[in-house]
């Protein structure tokens, strides 16, 4: 059943409103958890955790933050309860302000894992709902716009901890402030749900344009699995911020109070890159994914140096890679999967992504305690393999 031109215009307008409003939700969510993310490494170190322990906690948190999405994604596809699961996940942001009462690194680690699990629960529903809306505007631009708004919060959050460290010399006051954005996130999410209770209708009845699949295909296409392999390899060699931050603190590369500010700068780069890479993706397509391993490689050499200038460049590159991952990796997935299994696809994809974070985080944490040279070698080898995986994936796309 075709829609009239007026209905198409109204849908496009509603889709834009939905992306903007969801961007506000994500912004407040990012104030909360990205602010905390900027100090996870130093805070765990302050509570007595070692580099390997921080690597393990970051890896487990990252893995659960994606692995649980497999269950969440399947549940969403089966029940269509996008909003219920998404809002439930946002409610788990309570774990961030609770970090203020953590008396040891074990309790802090538990709250960190809980926060990551909440992100996992909400993300497939959020990504699926956004993917429906982005089809009205261009998947790259739509996800890029959302990511840019999202990263405004990610920029503000770390600055709260910079202020806390500067004024009090500690982290706990910063965590207490996080009650405010955590509550606002849930309240605004309920408002967006009221305004757009069924985001799926934004993609229904759209003509096939750039979509690389049958819109009613029930199984995941072979190209999805090749894409997942490429994602796993390139993310495996992507150093997480907690281990980089621990290096900066342990080696005293920059003052401890400036580490959250550096993270904020990375988030600002993330927001800037998101719009650019989103528009680029809409123009040149999947080939833009090659930028991920290209930009990840220099982080190995710069991020673990003892030169403050090199470290700043590395963190800016880290933010750029995050922006690319959060924008076109999600956009590409929307273009190679059908509307009927989108939640499942995001769930599987993010589980693979999280597994790569876990293995990479644990490996780098242990390698750091032996030699920084080992970390650099690990990243270089893995990212070179990512180039090979991308070539195979791209040939498969051309063959369709």
């Amino acid at each position: 059943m075709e829609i009239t031109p007026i209905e198409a215009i109204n849908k496009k307008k509603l889709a834009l409103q939905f992306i903007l409003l969801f961007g506000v939700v994500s912004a407040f969510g990012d104030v909360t958890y990205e602010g905390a993310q900027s100090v996870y490494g130093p805070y765990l170190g302050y509570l007595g955790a070692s580099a390997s322990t921080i690597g393990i906690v970051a890896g487990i948190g990252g893995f659960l933050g994606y692995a649980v999405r497999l269950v969440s994604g399947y549940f969403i596809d089966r029940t269509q309860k996008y909003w219920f699961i998404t809002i439930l996940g946002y409610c788990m942001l309570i774990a961030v302000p609770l970090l203020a009462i953590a008396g040891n690194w074990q309790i802090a680690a538990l709250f960190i894992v809980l926060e990551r699990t909440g992100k996992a629960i909400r993300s497939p529903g959020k990504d699926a709902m956004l993917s429906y809306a982005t089809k009205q505007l261009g998947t790259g631009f739509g996800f890029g716009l959302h990511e840019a708004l999202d990263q405004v919060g990610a920029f503000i959050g770390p600055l709260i901890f910079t202020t806390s460290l500067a004024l009090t010399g500690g982290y706990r006051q910063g965590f207490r402030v996080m009650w405010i954005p955590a509550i606002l996130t849930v309240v605004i999410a309920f408002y967006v749900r009221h305004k757009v209770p069924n985001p799926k209708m934004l993609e229904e009845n759209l003509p096939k344009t750039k979509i690389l699949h049958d819109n009613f295909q029930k199984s995941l296409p072979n190209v999805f699995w090749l894409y997942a392999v490429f994602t796993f390899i390139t993310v495996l060699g992507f150093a997480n911020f907690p281990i980089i931050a621990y290096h900066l603190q342990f080696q005293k590369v920059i003052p401890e109070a400036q580490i959250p500010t550096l993270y904020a700068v990375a988030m600002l780069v993330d927001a800037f890159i998101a719009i650019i890479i989103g528009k680029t993706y809409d123009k040149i397509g999947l080939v833009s994914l090659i930028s991920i391993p290209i930009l990840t490689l220099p982080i190995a050499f710069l991020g673990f140096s003892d030169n403050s200038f090199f470290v700043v460049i590395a963190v800016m590159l880290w933010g750029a890679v995050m922006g690319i991952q959060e924008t076109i990796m999600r956009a590409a997935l929307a273009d190679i999967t059908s509307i009927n299994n989108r939640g499942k696809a995001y769930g599987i994809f993010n589980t693979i992504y999280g597994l790569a974070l876990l293995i990479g985080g644990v490996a780098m944490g242990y390698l750091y305690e032996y030699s920084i040279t080992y970390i650099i070698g690990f990243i270089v080898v893995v990212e070179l393999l990512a180039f090979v995986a991308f070539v195979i994936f791209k040939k498969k796309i051309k063959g369709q």
Side-chain angles (χ1 to χ4, degrees), residues 20-31:
L20 292 174
L21 284 170
F22 222 127
V24 175
V25 173
S26 296
F28 278 109
D30 271 31
V31 169

Side-chain angles (χ1 to χ4, degrees), residues 39-50:
V39 296
Y40 278 166
Y43 188 52
L44 289 171
Y46 165 76
L47 293 175
S50 65

Side-chain angles (χ1 to χ4, degrees), residues 271-342:
F272 179 73
I273 289 295
I275 295 292
I276 296 175
I277 196 66
K279 294 294 288 184
T280 301
Y281 172 82
D282 286 335
K283 288 182 179 179
I284 67 175
L286 296 168
V287 70
S288 57
L289 290 165
I290 196 64
S291 60
I292 298 175
I294 289 175
L295 294 179
T296 299
L297 263 174
I299 298 174
F301 300 96
L302 303 175
F304 295 98
S305 72
D306 57 3
N307 183 295
S308 58
F309 176 76
F310 288 164
V311 166
V312 170
I313 298 299
V315 172
M316 292 177 70
L317 285 173
W318 186 89
V321 175
M322 282 296 297
I324 296 170
Q325 289 181 354
E326 292 291 331
T327 302
I328 62 173
M329 273 190 163
R330 293 189 295 165
L333 197 60
D335 284 335
I336 62 177
T337 58
S338 74
I339 190 173
N340 292 324
N341 57 22
R342 195 74 52 73

Side-chain angles (χ1 to χ4, degrees), residues 41 81 285 300:
K81 294 184 181 296

Side-chain angles (χ1 to χ4, degrees), residues 117-254:
T117 303
K119 182 174 175 61
I121 289 174
R122 67 181 178 263
S123 289
K126 181 194 74 174
D127 288 343
M129 288 190 289
L130 281 169
S131 74
Y132 304 143
T134 61
K135 292 296 183 180
Q136 295 283 345
L137 307 171
T139 52
F141 175 72
F143 275 111
L145 178 60
H146 173 266
E147 177 67 7
L149 292 169
D150 183 78
Q151 294 312 107
V152 171
F155 173 72
I156 295 172
L159 296 183
I160 292 175
F161 281 94
T162 298
T163 304
S164 175
L165 286 166
L167 296 179
T168 69
Y171 300 94
R172 298 186 190 279
Q173 188 58 41
F175 286 122
R176 293 189 187 102
V177 173
M178 293 303 164
W179 281 109
I180 298 172
I183 292 172
L184 285 173
T185 300
V186 176
V187 171
I188 300 172
F190 272 109
Y191 171 74
V192 183
R193 178 190 181 280
H194 171 74
K195 189 171 182 64
V196 189
N198 179 28
K200 191 173 184 179
M201 62 86 179
L202 294 171
E203 183 176 342
E204 290 173 341
N205 299 321
L206 275 179
K208 276 183 66 174
T209 52
K210 183 182 173 181
I211 302 173
L212 305 174
H213 56 75
D214 178 353
N215 209 36
F216 298 98
Q217 181 177 342
K218 293 184 178 180
S219 61
L220 293 171
N222 291 333
V223 70
F224 166 83
W225 299 107
L226 289 174
Y227 179 59
V229 170
F230 163 73
T231 299
F232 176 85
I233 297 174
T234 192
V235 173
L236 184 68
F238 184 56
N240 60 60
F241 191 82
I243 195 66
I244 295 175
Y246 178 83
H247 167 74
L248 302 183
Q249 179 196 46
F250 184 74
Q251 298 292 339
K252 295 181 171 53
V253 180
I254 63 173

Side-chain angles (χ1 to χ4, degrees), residues 65-104:
Y66 289 95
V68 176
R69 301 183 193 200
L70 181 61
V71 178
S72 179
Y74 272 103
F75 183 80
I76 285 169
D77 274 350
R78 183 172 292 273
T79 66
Q80 301 295 296
K81 294 184 181 296
Y82 298 95
W83 278 116
F84 173 77
I85 299 300
T86 301
I87 293 176
L88 174 64
Y90 276 122
C91 287
M92 294 176 70
L93 283 171
I94 189 177
V96 172
L98 287 177
L99 278 163
I101 64 173
N104 53 58

